[in-house]
Structure formats: C-alpha cells, structure tokens
Amino acid sequence: MEHVPPPAEELALLDRELAELDARRAQLLTRRTWLLAALRPPAPTAAPGWGAPSGAPAQPWGYVPKQPSAPRGAQNVLLTLGGLLLTVAAVAFTLVSWGSMGIGGRSAVLAAVTLGALIAPAVLLRRGLVATAEALAALALVLTLLDVYAVHAVAAPDTDGLGFTAVAAAVLAALWTAYGLALGTLRLPLPAAVVLAQWPLLFWTWAAGAPALVVGWALLATAVLDGAIALWGKGAGVRVTACVGGSAMGFSALMVGLALSTTTSGPLGAAAPGALLLAAAAAALAGAWRAPQGFARVGGVVAGLAAVAAVGGVPAAALPDGWRVLAYLLCGLALTGVVRAGVPRDAARGVLAASGVVVAGALVWALPPLAAVLLGPGTLLSDVWAGSPEGFRSALGSTLPWSELAAAPVVLALVAGLLGAAYRWWPSVVRITAPLAAPRTADTGTPGAGVPGAPGAAGAAAPWPGWSGWPAWSGPGAGARKRPSGAALRGAAGAGAAALGWGAILLSGALLDVPYALAVAGETALVGGLLALAVRSAGSGRGATAVPVCALVAAVAGAVSVGVLSLASEGASYAVFGALAALFAGAAVRAGAEVPRAVFAVAAVVWGTVLTGLAGRSLGLAPQETAPLVLVVPALTVLLGARLRRNPVALPVELTGALGALIAVGLAVSDAPFLALVLALCGVLAAGAAVRPERRPVAGYLAAALFVLATWVRLAASEVSFPEAYTLPVTVPALMVGVLRRRRDPEASSWTAYGPGLAATLLPSMAVAWTDTDWLRPLLLGVAALVITLLGARYRLQALLLLGGVVLALDGLHELAPYVVQVAGALPRWLPPALAGLLLLVVGATYEQRLRDARRLREALGRMR
C-alpha cells in the first residue's frame, strides 16, 4: 500500500504544524501572564504586627504576594554587634587602662558607666525601643561583673577569692532580681539573676573548707531554690534557666550523696549521706507533686532512685560486697507501694519507673555470671572427651569471683517469683494499678477526668469492667500513643518469670560448684522442663504468646550449652545428645502450633546429626570415613518427609537434613574417592526426595547434578586422562532418551531432554582441555561445541545453544590465551586503559540501543525450548 502523500512529505508537514502549535502556545502563555498581573489586587496595608483584614479577598490562582521583610533582623544584628563591641571595650578598659587612672577617677568612670547602662534601658522602654534596651541591659550585666572584679582588686585585695565571689554572686543576684522585676519587659535580667544564684552557697562552703557532705547539702539547697523558681518564676526564660540549674545542682548533690553512701564503712557512716539522699528524694517528690506531666514523671524517677540509694545504703554498708545489691533491690521493690500512697498519678508513674530501673540494674549485675554459665563450656571444644572435670566451675573455665556473686541467683529468683506472682494473680494487679492507668484529659490534664466512671465523665461506666488491656487514651495524640494490651503485659511477666527462674537455677549450680555429672543431668532436666512449658503454652489455644516463645528460646540455648558441656566425657555426650534428640522429637509430636513444632523438629534433627558424628569419633574413623555415617540422619529426614508429605514441618526438617548432608560433603572433601561416594549417596537421597511431586522441580535437578559431579570427582580421583571414554557411553543413551521425550512431548524443555546428557561429556572434557597441552582434544571439543551450537540455533533449542556456545567460547579462549598475553605484553602500557575507556564511551553513547539488543536477545532465548 502506497502512502499519499509520500512519507517524507508527510513527515515534513507534521513538523511544520508542530512548530506552529509551539509558537501559538508561547503567545497564549505570555497573554495569560499579563492578565494575571492586571487582575491581581494590591496588597492590603496593615499596622505592623497585625495580619491582613479578615475581609480581604483571597489572591487568585494561589498567588501569595511577597511581603517586605521587616527590618527587625538587621536591627537585632546591629544591636548585638554594638553590645559586643561595647562589652569588649569595657573589658579592655578594666584590664588594660585601669592602672593609668587614680582611684577616684577609676571609681567615677565605672560607676558612671554602670549607672548609665542601668538607667538607659528604662528610658528606652518608655519609647518602645525594646531591642536597644535589651542590648544595654546585657552591657550593664557585664559592667556589674567588672565592678565586682574592680572592687576586689582595689578595695579588698586580701580577701579570700571564693568567699568574696560567693558574697558578690548573692549581691548581684539580688540586684538583678530587683532590676528585672522593676523593668518587667526585659527578658535578660531575671535569667541572669537565676544563673548568679547558683554559686553563693557552693562557693561559701568551698571557701569555708566544709566537708563533702556539707557541700552536698549546699548543692541540694540551691537545687530546691531552683525548683521553687521553676514552679513559681515569672517568664519562660526564668523557668527554663531554673530547670537547667536545678537539674545540674540536684544531680551533683545526688552524686555526692551516693559516693559518700557507697564508700562509708558501717551503717552509721551511711546514715548521714542517706539523710542527704532522702532529703533530695523528698524535694524531687515535692516538685513532682505540682509539676506538669513530663516533669512530674522525671521528678518521680529521681525521687525513687534517691530514696533507694538513701534507704538501701544503710543496710548495704553492713553486708558483704556480694550481697549489697540485694539491699538496693529490696528497697526498689518497696517503691511499688506508691500505688497506694496517694501520690499524684504522673509522679507515681515516675516512682514506679525508678523501681523498674533498680530491678533492671540488679538483673544486669547478675548477667555476667549467667553468661559465664551458658558460654563457659565453649572452652571444652578445643579438647573433646578429655575427661570429666571434678566440679561444675572447672568445666566453665571462668575466672569470675564467684564468692562475690553469691547474691546473683537470689536476685534472679526474687524477681522471677514476683513476676510469676503477677502472672498468676494478674486481675488483682490490674485492680491495684487501675488509678495509675487512668488517662489524662485533653484540655485540663486533670487525672480522672474523661476516664470511664470517673467524676465528670457523664454517662460513663465504671473503669475496667472485665478489663483485658489498657484503656483508650483520650489525651493529645490519642492516635499515636497506644498502650500495650493487658494480655501482652501479662505474657511478658510470665516470660520474664520463666527465663529468670531458669537462670537462677543455673547460677545456683555454678555457685554451689555441684559435681559435673549432677550439673549435666540438672541442665538436661531443665531443658525438658522448658520444653514442657513451651508445648503446654503453645498448645493452650491462645496462639503464640511471650511465655512459649521465651521457653522455646531458653530451651534451645540451654540445650546448646549442656550439649557443649557434655563434650568433656564420651558417656555424657551420648547421654545428653540422645536425651536432647528424644526430648525435642517428643516436643515436636506434642506441640500444637506449627512454628514451635518446626523448631522442635529441626533441633531434634541437629542433635541426631551430632550423635552420628560422635559415633564416628568413637569408632576411630577419620573425618572422611565419618561422612557416610553422617548421611544416616539426612536419609531419615527424606523418609520422614515422605511420611509427612505436605505437612508444614516437612520442609524445615528436610532442609535441616540437607544441611547435614552438606556437612558430610565438607568432611569428605579432603579425600576424593570418599567425596565421590558421598556425592553419589547425596544424589540418591535427592532422587528419593524427587519421587514426591512437590519436591521434584528442585530435587530432580539436584540429584542429576550430584550424580554428574560424583562421576567427575571419581574420574579425577582415578587420574583418568580420557574422561570421554566414560562419559560418552552415558551421553549417547541420555540424548536418545531426550529425543524420544521430545517426540512424545514437543513442549518439553530442551534442558530436561538434552541438558544432562550434553553436560555429562562437555563439561568434564572442557575441564581436561584447559590442562591439556596437546592440540587434538581442544580441536575436537571445539568442533563438537560448534556443531551443538549450530544445531541449537537451527532447531531453536536453548540448552544446545547455550551449552555449546559457552564451551566453544571457553575453548577458544583457552587456545587464544597465550597469544593474547603476548600481544598484551607488546602493547604500550597506556593502550589497554585507553581502549577500555573508548569502549565505555561507545557503550555509553549507544546505551539505549545496546539495552534494546540485550532485551531482544533475552526474548529470543526465552522463546526457545
């Protein structure tokens, strides 16, 4: 069919029309811009600091007129620079030019400048020049400090510096407080007064040479003053400054008290620092009583920690080093009584958080010995079956001071008992802690308002009827702040009880240094108990919770630990790993949930594999001789998988068996004949798995690959120089079977029909050809690969095309490699990088075309069978 007009003319016509459309569009856009500018109303005028009138029309098309920037930024920069320059001048005058003037002149100059700097802000404020007044007030603050320095240097040079500084700081704090209250508009004087108020008591006690305890009381008194200012001070700057100062001074006081409490000898020596800490706790709680929500919780945490340090430090001073943590733990647990003490909710939550911190700290203290019990047996791996040690500790190889860790199992057992009691009587715990769980209202923050059943909640029901979780949050950010459900919290308590109880029993055996046999038997029994707990909890019908998960993890960790511990003795190793295999297999049978059952089954397979390895060691077999014995467990997993069929546990079990087979291959890799045997046995196992339809797509190819690989290894081990004599008798019938398969099923893949037969000869021949110095084998292999490649292209068979092409390319590369090396050595050194760069440029310039070519090649290969 001919085009009318011809294609070239039609293309030129289209280009001209597109150019005219572009020109017309540019004209219309220009006209639209002019119309927008003509219709835009003038910007409304308003007084400085006020917004636009409410009746002002909205700007069309989303246009926002650019407002002229206020000169406040430049003005503040200029004023700040001016104040800094004046301050630098005043400092230079005081330090450099002070000695060139008499005492009268010096006093008069400083007094006049300071008085002027103090009076000027009041005059400027009346005229509305607030920024200028702030700058001069900052200058006045620096001048008063310089006045103090000048007075000490001239009028009282022999006065103690610390004492004079304390008095000067108190006087300046009072002066600037009065000044800031008189000129309420200024924002700098009152925060400056708060900063100056931090130092009088501290410098006074320091100058008087007071003991550390008195210094702590001075710091605490300053922190209390800061807290009062933070609660009742005027302005956000004052409160923030007071909060920062109070936090620093209070923390310092607590550190002084804690250091004295932990280093004194005897309960009487710890009583005085305890009083300081107790006073700090009372002050923090008093501040938390009236503070906002976040500060109240922080105050509660500080109060709780200080109270624990104060009360627990007295009995801890009378206890040995290994038992002191127990005194603090008991005091921390006693803080839970705050739920019935009438303390405001947020402060009570902070106190409970402090209790949790103390408990967590005690548990962290007990972790190193527990880690030593679990990980210590790893030292036995370097000398398996060296003989049973005398006691449990000697098997751990740890150098921990066990005598100083005597309280570790007591700590774990105590916390475990409390968590277990909470798990058992959870409804009572919920009822007791209900007041603390009441949410804060969104508007006033009053506890209880808005809570179902609380006063002021009209028509609400009583709180927590049939409570199964935390109530809905009704404060700000209700959608983002979610509480954990009651079931989750209860599950966490149960899981913690199980884990800590298990750790307490393990630690007890190490601290008592029980005999080795008793330690091994006890740990194995603990694994059985954890498995029973995991099976019972997982099969309770409530789904996966924290308790069975924790029990499962602890059981696996304990099994690994006791398994390694048993390697000191041959009899213990068989007994422990046999018991572990039986326990985990039984748990897999009894488990009701799929995930725990799979974990139990996998662990049982692992312990069985270890048993076969131990059997090889007992029989005195070399590693490669042990490899066929290790394949017993993978064979059993294949049989078990055939029995389980599509059960979800079947796949994890078979994959674990495959891992055991991989271990067997690794054991035999040092001996080629045994490696060939192991590979062939693995191929038999894979072929057995391939009988099942659901495993055939993977196991079938794996079996073929293993058989071929076993053949190659066997030929290499026999030092066969002509592998074709062994591979061609396999290749010819395999190709004939492939031809028959393709005739019966034309849609069958060429990889299935011809791939195994071709690979059986081509790949071993290629491997031998790379080490063959003669020319005949590479020539024949190249001709055969060329023929196979052409046949694949002619009949569109992917396997023939790719296998033949790859072998042909490798064979050609082998033959050309010496000449390529010679040419590369003869070329200049700069030429290869230049050619590589040029190639990259060409590829980059034609990237899209190369991408299309690669896509077409992939599609062509994909259409082949």
Side-chain angles (χ1 to χ4, degrees), residues 26-57:
Q27 293 176 359
L28 294 175
L29 288 176
T30 304
R31 180 63 178 173
R32 181 178 182 274
T33 303
W34 184 87
L35 292 174
L36 288 176
L39 294 175
R40 185 179 302 138
T45 58
W50 296 87
S54 58

Side-chain angles (χ1 to χ4, degrees), residues 214-430:
V214 178
V215 174
W217 280 104
L219 292 170
L220 180 59
T222 305
V224 171
L225 176 61
D226 289 329
I229 296 173
L231 288 175
W232 296 292
K234 178 182 179 183
V238 174
R239 295 185 176 183
V240 171
T241 306
C243 284
V244 175
S247 300
M249 293 298 174
F251 179 77
S252 302
L254 289 174
M255 290 298 101
V256 170
L258 183 61
L260 294 175
S261 177
T262 54
T263 56
T264 55
S265 57
L268 294 179
L276 173 62
L277 293 171
L278 204 58
L285 188 60
W289 207 285
R290 297 180 58 89
Q293 180 181 0
F295 291 100
R297 294 186 182 181
V298 174
V301 172
V302 174
L305 294 177
V308 170
V311 180
V314 176
L319 295 174
D321 292 340
W323 292 90
R324 290 186 176 183
V325 66
L326 190 59
Y328 292 107
L329 176 61
L330 293 174
C331 293
L333 294 174
L335 291 179
T336 56
V338 74
V339 297
R340 293 297 186 185
V343 180
R345 186 201 57 223
D346 292 322
R349 287 180 177 176
V351 175
L352 288 180
S355 176
V357 170
V358 174
V359 174
L363 294 179
V364 170
W365 174 81
L367 282 182
L370 181 58
V373 172
L374 291 175
L375 304 178
T379 57
L380 300 175
L381 293 174
S382 60
D383 194 6
V384 178
W385 293 353
S388 301
E390 295 180 359
F392 191 12
R393 287 188 205 168
S394 58
L396 300 179
S398 176
T399 58
L400 289 176
W402 294 101
S403 59
E404 298 179 5
L405 300 171
V410 180
V411 169
L412 295 178
L414 180 59
V415 180
L418 292 176
L419 291 177
Y423 179 79
R424 173 63 180 82
W425 292 286
W426 186 254
S428 300
V429 175
V430 171

Side-chain angles (χ1 to χ4, degrees), residues 708-805:
V708 173
L709 187 59
T711 304
W712 296 344
V713 173
R714 180 67 261 185
L715 294 176
S718 302
E719 298 181 354
V720 174
S721 58
F722 294 98
E724 294 82 3
Y726 298 90
T727 58
L728 283 175
V730 177
T731 296
V732 173
L735 293 178
M736 294 176 62
V737 172
V739 171
L740 295 176
R741 171 72 184 276
R742 289 276 297 177
R743 285 182 179 179
R744 295 181 58 184
D745 184 11
E747 297 298 324
S749 173
S750 61
W751 289 100
T752 305
Y754 308 120
L758 292 174
T761 296
L762 288 179
L763 298 183
S765 298
M766 187 69 250
V768 176
W770 269 78
T771 59
D772 193 353
T773 58
D774 198 4
W775 59 271
L776 182 59
R777 183 190 304 275
L779 176 61
L780 295 177
L781 179 62
V783 171
L786 178 61
V787 172
I788 293 172
T789 304
L790 294 176
L791 289 175
R794 171 65 179 82
Y795 295 103
R796 305 181 63 81
L797 298 176
Q798 190 180 98
L800 277 68
L801 179 63
L802 292 182
L803 281 174

Side-chain angles (χ1 to χ4, degrees), residues 106 160 164 179 284 335 368 391 468 569 575 658 671 675 734 759 774 816-817 842:
R106 288 178 284 181
D160 179 57
F164 185 85
Y179 187 75
L335 291 179
S468 61
S569 170
D671 191 290
L675 179 60
D774 198 4
L816 294 176
V842 172

Side-chain angles (χ1 to χ4, degrees), residues 105-173:
R106 288 178 284 181
S107 301
V109 169
L110 268 182
V113 174
T114 304
L115 185 61
L118 290 172
I119 295 174
V123 178
L124 294 173
L125 288 175
R126 293 195 189 96
R127 300 188 177 184
L129 302 176
V130 180
T132 308
E134 290 282 1
L136 289 179
L139 176 62
L141 173 62
V142 177
L143 289 175
T144 54
L145 296 177
L146 295 176
D147 286 337
V148 171
Y149 167 76
V151 169
H152 181 265
V154 176
D158 298 330
T159 307
D160 179 57
L162 291 175
F164 185 85
T165 303
V167 174
V171 172
L172 288 178

